[in-house]
Amino acid sequence: MTRVRLSRLPGERVRVSEEGATHEVAVADLPSYVSEREPETPRWVWDDTARWYPPLLAAGVRVARCHDLRLCRRLLARAPAVDPSLLAGDEAGLWDRLRPAAAAVTEPVLFSGDDALDHLRADVEDVRQLAAIDASPDAARLRLLVAAESAGALAAAEMTHAGVPWRVDVHEALLTEKLGPRPPRGARPRLLAECADDVRRVLDAPGLNPDSRPDLLAALRRAGVDVSDTRASSLRAVDHAVVEPLLRYKSLAHLFSTNGWAWIDEWVRDGRFRAVYQPAGSATGRWSSNGGGALSFPAQVRSAAVADEGWVLVVADVAQLEPRVLAGMSGDRALAGAARGADLYQGMVDAGAVATRQDAKLGLLGAMYGATSGESGRMVAGLTRRYPQAFGLVEEAARAGERGQVVRTLLGRGSPTLGGSWDESPDAPPADLHDLDRRRRSFGRFTRNFVVQGTGAEWALCWVADLRNRLWRLGARGALDDRPHLVLFLHDEVVVHAPAGLADAVAAELAEAATTAGRLLFRELPVDFPLTVSVVRSYAEAGKPGT
DNA sequence: TGGAGTTGCGCC
DNA sequence: AGGGCGCAACTCCA
């Protein structure tokens, strides 16, 4: 196992020793120290991984373990099984005020400018958090959760540092083919402009700007197209000559504005797309991204993600992550049985629970999202009898939410509370009862999904945390820059950039890490988490089976 | 003019 | 009257 030893030196420098190599890194007197509470596995404790780790990575230092005080404080403060009074004390209010450090893609940022926040006592806060965890009835699970949350933060910074290998020439060729040559600033590219002309011609609306929703809707109606909005799905439902060019226009306009030349200018440097992640950026614990749209970059440009010469991309995704997680956390052995194999939905068909794969998918997604009507709603009713524990768990989460209660993930992350006034003081302004009921149900759908989405995010965190260590060990004989490394993480999918000779070994580690994650979370009930793995030169070549 | 809110897209 | 997120552009209003 990789060992990182750290020691503070005078002159605001830190010495980092790792596998025989020693680095000195300049830092200021900031909230950070090395905890040797578990002497075999020293842990760098700091206020914010996004503040500390980028400059360390830039100095060539890889950190094996950390405890991210900001992320974990937030997590513990919202965890139902943690006594909030144990998080109170010196500087507690300041810790609560911390916001994620600004993305440090080019210049490392060690100072926020707010002196009080820049010099907090990391050791004091660390002790407080550990005590809060120790006192919790859910201590074991919370320990796993804070370790995974912190490891995820390390992985996020490492992925930003490494970047996705990006071929600007491939991307630009694709743009030119679909849109025409790069236009001057403010103008539409040629093929997009021609597409807009097609729309104007068919609608007989010469001055129309197809980007203006109200104008477009009015023009559509004048031409006899009966739609209530301009959404693609609404347009597809009508039969009119404008539909084809308009859908084509929307698709091209989206490519141009979201992943066009401007996106390249802003996000690709030195042949790398450096996505910026926010671990636990969403309420469920899923990551979000505030740079380059890393978690939503469209299939349209994935062909530009190309491995370096002699390297490959190993792409792995989990089929039906959330249904599998639901089976594990509810202890539903029938659903876990259907999950034994590559296709959970097909497993449900084979077990005779449902007629078709599509019905299985509709029913499960409907249960997790709270569908009440249509095909999906009907399937939920039937499947509830077959899988009472799994479907009962999300149903109970929904009812708890409707009562205004907090729900939690398997490892103990708590949902936000329902803001607003519906359950507050009786002398609040009398709100519309119908509106209150609508909000109550809406919150119930949120808590229903929260338990599954949030536990799915926990599985993924454990997967990534274990994987980054495995990849590090795998490349231990190579130089720092020759090691296989994570470059992208998309909720239930990862991309590893690896020397071609290590592709098979990486694929094996991906699967091992998935198995480990499943055992960590669902010790008592083993659930399969089969991966679809592709070894490719370009991300666009990766197999994308339906989920 | 600039910020907040809305719409619609696309990723999971 | 199906969950989460980011982003870009338009719209509205101070």
Side-chain angles (χ1 to χ4, degrees):
Chain A
M1 177 54 79
T2 304
R3 299 279 292 273
V4 179
R5 320 280 318 184
L6 305 161
S7 56
R8 300 296 288 268
L9 302 175
E12 301 196 330
R13 299 180 76 76
V14 170
R15 176 174 294 155
V16 183
S17 308
E18 180 168 29
E19 294 175 352
T22 298
H23 314 267
E24 269 188 37
V25 184
V27 293
D29 182 22
L30 297 171
S32 126
Y33 82 110
V34 179
S35 165
E36 308 239 8
R37 197 167 174 261
E38 301 160 72
E40 290 308 303
T41 56
R43 197 174 296 263
W44 204 330
V45 178
W46 49 37
D47 58 337
D48 186 350
T49 307
R51 179 183 183 191
W52 281 88
Y53 202 16
L56 288 170
L57 285 165
V61 177
R62 190 251 189 195
V63 171
R65 287 186 178 70
C66 81
H67 181 86
D68 186 305
L69 291 166
R70 183 188 67 83
L71 283 173
C72 294
R73 181 178 178 88
R74 226 169 89 92
L75 194 164
L76 295 172
R78 295 181 178 186
V82 169
D83 175 358
S85 73
L86 296 174
L87 293 170
D90 289 349
E91 297 182 332
L94 294 173
W95 282 101
D96 287 332
R97 273 176 46 204
L98 279 184
R99 294 294 170 264
V105 177
T106 50
E107 280 284 292
V109 181
L110 279 172
F111 296 95
S112 71
D114 185 326
D115 217 47
L117 296 181
D118 282 344
H119 300 282
L120 294 168
R121 287 285 301 275
D123 49 350
V124 173
E125 173 64 13
D126 190 32
V127 166
R128 201 153 46 203
Q129 291 190 13
L130 292 172
I133 294 171
D134 286 342
S136 168
D138 258 357
R141 285 172 169 174
L142 287 170
R143 275 187 205 106
L144 175 57
L145 182 53
V146 298
E149 187 97 317
S150 298
L154 292 174
E158 287 164 5
M159 283 189 275
T160 302
H161 176 74
V164 181
W166 204 264
R167 284 275 300 273
V168 171
D169 58 331
V170 171
H171 190 165
E172 287 185 335
L174 180 153
L175 293 176
T176 304
E177 186 202 325
K178 293 196 171 185
L179 297 166
R182 180 173 194 166
R185 213 179 137 68
R188 287 194 179 98
R190 184 169 56 81
L191 296 177
L192 183 62
E194 289 178 9
C195 203
D197 281 338
D198 291 344
V199 172
R200 294 189 191 103
R201 198 173 309 116
V202 175
L203 291 179
D204 195 22
L208 174 67
N209 170 15
D211 289 331
S212 167
R213 244 84 63 165
D215 292 359
L216 178 59
L217 193 58
L220 284 167
R221 287 187 169 152
R222 270 198 305 278
V225 184
D226 181 29
V227 285
S228 54
D229 55 59
T230 64
R231 262 175 282 188
S233 58
S234 304
L235 291 165
R236 265 189 283 272
V238 301
D239 180 27
H240 190 279
V242 77
V243 173
E244 188 277 330
L246 185 49
L247 291 179
R248 192 156 42 87
Y249 177 84
K250 281 168 167 281
S251 171
L252 290 179
H254 188 262
L255 173 64
F256 173 58
S257 63
T258 305
N259 290 98
W261 291 274
W263 181 89
I264 297 175
D265 291 346
E266 186 169 0
W267 293 108
V268 183
R269 296 256 189 293
D270 306 321
R272 293 289 187 266
F273 162 44
R274 294 199 159 78
V276 180
Y277 298 95
Q278 297 279 330
S282 99
T284 58
R286 270 191 178 183
W287 292 9
S288 63
S289 162
N290 61 358
L295 292 173
S296 63
F297 76 76
Q300 278 185 315
V301 299
R302 291 188 181 187
S303 60
V306 181
D308 289 350
E309 205 51 47
W311 288 56
V312 291
L313 299 177
V314 186
V315 182
D317 78 326
V318 196
Q320 308 108 21
L321 172 61
E322 287 171 2
R324 290 171 194 279
V325 160
L326 176 58
M329 69 189 299
S330 65
D332 194 312
R333 293 189 175 270
L335 192 56
R340 211 150 289 143
D343 186 343
L344 179 143
Y345 301 133
Q346 188 59 46
M348 293 166 68
V349 175
D350 295 343
V354 71
T356 68
R357 196 182 175 282
Q358 183 60 20
D359 286 350
K361 181 174 176 175
L362 275 175
L364 265 177
L365 293 181
M368 292 187 299
Y369 290 155
T372 56
S373 59
E375 198 76 6
S376 188
R378 274 199 297 285
M379 296 313 307
V380 173
L383 285 169
T384 299
R385 285 193 297 277
R386 195 77 188 213
Y387 303 105
Q389 286 171 283
F391 282 61
L393 185 146
V394 286
E395 200 56 45
E396 183 44 48
R399 282 197 285 267
E402 290 174 2
R403 289 193 298 267
Q405 295 173 336
V406 164
V407 297
R408 69 184 83 177
T409 60
L410 180 64
L411 294 186
R413 193 188 301 271
S415 67
T417 53
L418 174 54
S421 58
W422 72 271
D423 60 344
E424 311 251 325
S425 57
D427 53 19
D432 183 288
L433 277 179
H434 185 264
D435 182 59
L436 289 185
D437 194 54
R438 208 169 45 76
R439 286 173 53 198
R440 211 167 46 76
R441 289 177 188 281
S442 169
F443 190 65
R445 283 193 302 280
F446 168 67
T447 53
R448 170 194 291 271
N449 187 255
F450 178 93
V451 294
V452 181
Q453 189 186 119
T455 307
E458 285 164 359
W459 182 92
L461 269 182
C462 291
W463 184 37
V464 165
D466 191 44
L467 182 62
R468 70 180 280 276
N469 288 328
R470 289 174 177 275
L471 293 177
W472 183 253
R473 290 198 293 270
L474 191 60
R477 284 188 301 275
L480 196 66
D481 289 342
D482 293 338
R483 302 190 188 232
H485 51 270
L486 280 158
V487 294
L488 198 63
F489 170 63
L490 300 161
H491 306 304
D492 62 357
E493 174 173 354
V494 296
V495 179
V496 175
H497 192 209
L502 289 178
D504 290 344
V506 168
E509 299 294 355
L510 280 158
E512 285 293 319
T515 302
T516 302
R519 286 212 196 96
L520 280 171
L521 261 69
F522 312 117
R523 201 165 292 279
E524 56 275 25
L525 180 71
V527 181
D528 284 355
F529 288 90
L531 303 181
T532 305
V533 181
S534 311
V535 179
V536 293
R537 292 278 306 147
S538 156
Y539 192 15
E541 300 161 19
K544 297 272 188 255
T547 50

